[in-house]
Amino acid sequence: MTHSKQKGVGLIEIVIGAAIISASLVGILGALTRYVAVGLANGPRVQAAYLAEEGIEIARALRDASWSGFSSLATSTPYYLAFTGSSWSATTTATTTLSGFTRTVRFDSVYRRSSDNDIFPATSTEAKYLDTDARLVSVKITWGGAAQSVGVSY
């Protein structure tokens, strides 16, 4: 009997095939678990980015409503945006928006290089002048006890 040497070979092939399939499924499930965890962690960051962009839009609305009121806000001072009735205002009283996010806005002076009127850092040693008709608006969103933040400037 020649086929008695192959007794159990089919069973070994099945066991090896099942092990390969099991290892593949474990890898796929591990990757899927990681992708879901990363996706859930990015949710607050995306929400913060939207709140930051909204802060820039609110600053534009404040500017468009009254440049004198907008330009009179102190530079390098953190402000909070508050909606009162039908309009937005900048206040120094801390406010929290939407599920523990805090939005702060800073209005800074803009300096321009004298040679070509490009916006230039105030710390530069090149010839520059203060542009009184412009402000740099920076919005920062913090959450999780200020452990995480997103910022945008315009």
Side-chain angles (χ1 to χ4, degrees):
M1 299 211 126
T2 59
H3 66 301
S4 66
K5 292 180 183 179
Q6 295 189 359
K7 207 175 203 182
V9 172
L11 181 59
I12 292 174
E13 290 173 349
I14 290 173
V15 169
I16 291 173
I20 291 171
I21 290 173
S22 296
S24 299
L25 287 176
V26 166
I28 290 170
L29 288 175
L32 180 63
T33 302
R34 179 69 181 146
Y35 294 145
V36 168
V38 167
L40 290 174
N42 278 337
R45 183 170 299 281
V46 170
Q47 189 175 1
Y50 282 125
L51 289 171
E53 287 297 324
E54 181 186 49
I56 294 291
E57 292 299 323
I58 293 167
R60 284 185 185 135
L62 290 172
R63 175 199 66 191
D64 293 345
S66 170
W67 172 253
S68 61
F70 181 78
S71 64
S72 68
L73 295 170
T75 58
S76 301
T77 301
Y79 285 96
Y80 302 90
L81 299 174
F83 189 73
T84 53
S86 62
S87 63
W88 288 94
S89 63
T91 178
T92 55
T93 305
T95 58
T96 302
T97 60
L98 300 177
S99 304
F101 291 92
T102 301
R103 175 174 37 210
T104 56
V105 181
R106 280 184 30 172
F107 304 96
D108 292 311
S109 298
V110 173
Y111 289 87
R112 296 191 180 272
R113 188 170 36 209
S114 297
S115 61
D116 58 6
N117 291 331
D118 279 348
I119 294 176
F120 217 64
T123 57
S124 170
T125 57
E126 290 190 43
K128 61 187 171 296
Y129 65 94
L130 176 63
D131 186 351
T132 58
D133 293 329
R135 288 282 185 268
L136 173 66
V137 178
S138 300
V139 179
K140 184 176 181 182
I141 308 297
T142 56
W143 70 97
Q148 299 181 26
S149 66
V150 167
V152 63
S153 295
Y154 179 76

